[in-house]
Amino acid sequence: MRSRKPTTRWSTLADRIDAGTTAHRDRTVDALRAFAILGVVLGHWLVTALTTADGALRTTSPLAHMSALAPVSWVFQTLAVFFLVGGHVAAQGYESARGRGVSYGQWVGQRLSRLFRPVAAVLVLWSVTAGGMLLGGVGTDTVHTLLKLVLSPLWFLLVFAALTAATPLVARLSPVWPLAVVAVVDIWRFALGGPEWIGWVNVAAGWLVPFTLGAAWSRGAFTRRTPAALLLGGGIAATAVLIVWGGYPASMVGVPGAAISNLNPPTLAAVAFGLAQCGLALLLRKPLARVMSRPRAWAKVALVNLSAMTVFLWHQTAMMAVTALGLLVSTDLPGLHTVPDSPEWIATRLLWLPVFAAALTVCWAAFRTYEQGSSRPKPRPAHGTSGVPGTPSRIVASSGPAIGKTAPATDTAATPVAPTAVGTVSAVGGPVATAKEHIRA
């Protein structure tokens, strides 16, 4: 007997995941998280280029050669959404932990261990790889370039971990205060000639702004659309003023060779742009909720969230692996090793994206267990869970009640969860275990 068509199996899987999701889960939180993750991945793949120069690999960017591409960074620089969702989940999780009598030490220890467990695999593999490359005669400049690409995304985890640990202190802090700190630091740096090192204060203050907005969201501050619309409009206006008249660069990511980076450390322009992003994300909740009510759309988002940290940690490695394998060809491959200074480079780069995605899939298959853990929660009886026979468990809410619904009194955050780039997403249990079986089939 022939196996069912892939589309039929996917439809069955999507229906099972949808049926196994608790009714009060706010699926828009997961959708925003997935959007932020994929934005970072695609952004890095599009604006990071490795070229062969002087016998070594060096990093450059199409933004350094074609400044008109700066608006591309407005689409793919989604870190503010990361921290918005992270603040929402952290504040909500801490409040529910307090309600259950869980101590702060237990709560933060559990969250941080889930966050950093997948990092160990990256560090071990690249430590061994770097050592082997140096012993094999690879130039230190090439090794430094590759390690910088791998390790640079980890700063995000360090900042996010620090803000998560500080959740009891900052959960009710008004975003106005860290925003004021960012403004004062930038005035000191750029208008008064202050030291460059003072800008690193904005690494904490700048990302604390969307984090505290997320915490306010968890308290119901954005039940009406007006505050979110003000964030969007005010953020756009402030960003435009700062770029046009304030001298800030238009690109919202760092550009090699540029005198000022909006991201490293964050500037007032980057924070203002983040406010606009957060406002837009909050305004899109209802449309996203409608889309997420469709089983196929929701299943894709659920599966991305289950492996969010794996995707985030390994996407640069996937790109570099493809680039390194391309060096086996006797000539530089367009869009992979060539200088990104023309529209032709952009066109060929787009053709490489599916290859990067395939390499990332290999990394996901090899290292996802570090994120999801080797043990799975025992499935619940089929009856009395989701109401769907044969669905052994349900996707447990960790992101709060859905729009217009009230969460039940029982807190579900205690259920074992899998880590993501900006918080935690609940272990999907039976449906996703079945999902993996279908995918492998």
Side-chain angles (χ1 to χ4, degrees):
M1 181 178 178
R2 292 184 177 180
S3 60
R4 290 175 295 176
K5 294 181 179 180
T7 54
T8 303
R9 290 186 297 188
W10 169 246
S11 179
T12 301
L13 167 62
D15 289 339
R16 289 175 64 84
I17 293 177
D18 181 68
T21 305
T22 52
H24 60 273
R25 183 183 185 90
D26 189 349
R27 300 183 183 190
T28 62
V29 174
D30 301 278
L32 291 173
R33 181 189 288 120
F35 165 77
I37 293 161
L38 296 180
V40 169
V41 171
L42 291 175
H44 281 160
W45 286 352
L46 288 171
V47 304
T48 303
L50 288 168
T51 61
T52 54
D54 302 325
L57 286 176
R58 300 190 186 279
T59 306
T60 185
S61 171
L63 297 174
H65 301 275
M66 296 176 282
S67 58
L69 293 178
V72 173
S73 68
W74 305 346
V75 177
F76 295 108
Q77 203 285 75
T78 53
L79 287 173
V81 180
F82 265 123
F83 284 93
L84 173 75
V85 176
H88 173 80
V89 174
Q92 192 174 72
Y94 179 64
E95 285 300 315
S96 66
R98 289 182 62 190
R100 300 192 313 272
V102 176
S103 69
Y104 166 77
Q106 291 175 311
W107 174 80
V108 75
Q110 186 181 40
R111 290 186 67 85
L112 295 187
S113 65
R114 289 197 300 260
L115 186 66
F116 285 112
R117 184 173 56 198
V119 176
V122 177
L123 296 179
V124 170
L125 183 139
W126 272 99
S127 295
V128 174
T129 300
M133 293 172 69
L134 292 173
L135 291 175
V138 177
T140 55
D141 288 344
T142 295
V143 175
H144 177 266
T145 296
L146 297 179
L147 287 179
K148 185 176 181 180
L149 284 177
V150 171
L151 299 179
S152 57
L154 299 186
W155 72 263
F156 155 77
L157 295 180
L158 295 176
V159 176
F160 181 78
L163 295 183
T164 298
T167 295
L169 299 177
V170 303
R172 295 189 175 274
L173 180 69
S174 170
V176 172
W177 295 111
L179 180 61
V181 171
V182 173
V184 169
V185 167
D186 271 20
I187 291 172
W188 191 0
R189 284 179 67 197
F190 303 126
L192 302 179
E196 282 298 311
W197 60 262
I198 196 64
W200 295 103
V201 172
N202 285 352
V203 173
W207 300 119
L208 186 56
V209 174
F211 193 88
T212 51
L213 282 173
W217 173 18
S218 72
R219 300 193 304 271
F222 296 99
T223 52
R224 294 168 55 240
R225 293 175 61 85
T226 302
L230 290 174
L231 280 179
L232 175 60
I236 290 174
T239 303
V241 168
L242 291 169
I243 291 174
V244 175
W245 291 290
Y248 289 88
S251 173
M252 288 299 141
V253 298
V255 178
I260 299 174
S261 168
N262 272 325
L263 196 58
N264 193 27
T267 63
L268 184 60
V271 175
F273 178 75
L275 291 176
Q277 280 188 316
C278 292
L280 179 60
L282 292 165
L283 286 173
L284 289 176
R285 289 184 66 208
K286 286 188 177 180
L288 277 176
R290 288 193 293 269
V291 174
M292 289 299 101
S293 65
R294 304 168 186 169
R296 292 190 180 188
W298 166 239
K300 293 173 184 176
V301 166
L303 293 176
V304 168
N305 275 277
L306 188 68
S307 299
M309 275 288 287
T310 303
V311 171
F312 177 79
L313 291 172
W314 292 97
H315 74 278
Q316 293 282 58
T317 298
M319 181 189 72
M320 288 185 287
V322 173
T323 304
L325 288 174
L327 294 174
L328 298 176
V329 181
S330 58
T331 184
D332 288 344
L333 297 176
L336 196 63
H337 307 126
T338 53
V339 177
D341 58 357
S342 67
E344 290 75 19
W345 185 92
I346 299 172
T348 53
R349 185 63 162 199
L350 292 174
L351 296 178
W352 283 107
L353 294 185
V355 184
F356 296 160
L360 180 56
T361 301
V362 174
C363 293
W364 169 83
F367 299 105
R368 62 188 170 85
T369 55
Y370 291 92
E371 175 175 3
Q372 297 169 9
S374 57
S375 61
R376 296 174 182 162
K378 294 181 179 179
R380 298 176 184 177
H383 57 82
T385 53
S386 63
V388 178
T391 302
S393 65
R394 62 180 65 187
I395 300 176
V396 183
S398 65
S399 56
I403 300 171
K405 296 183 181 181
T406 303
T410 303
D411 176 59
T412 55
T415 304
V417 292
T420 68
V422 291
T424 58
V425 62
S426 301
V428 184
V432 168
T434 308
K436 297 171 185 174
E437 294 168 6
H438 278 274
I439 291 171
R440 284 196 293 267

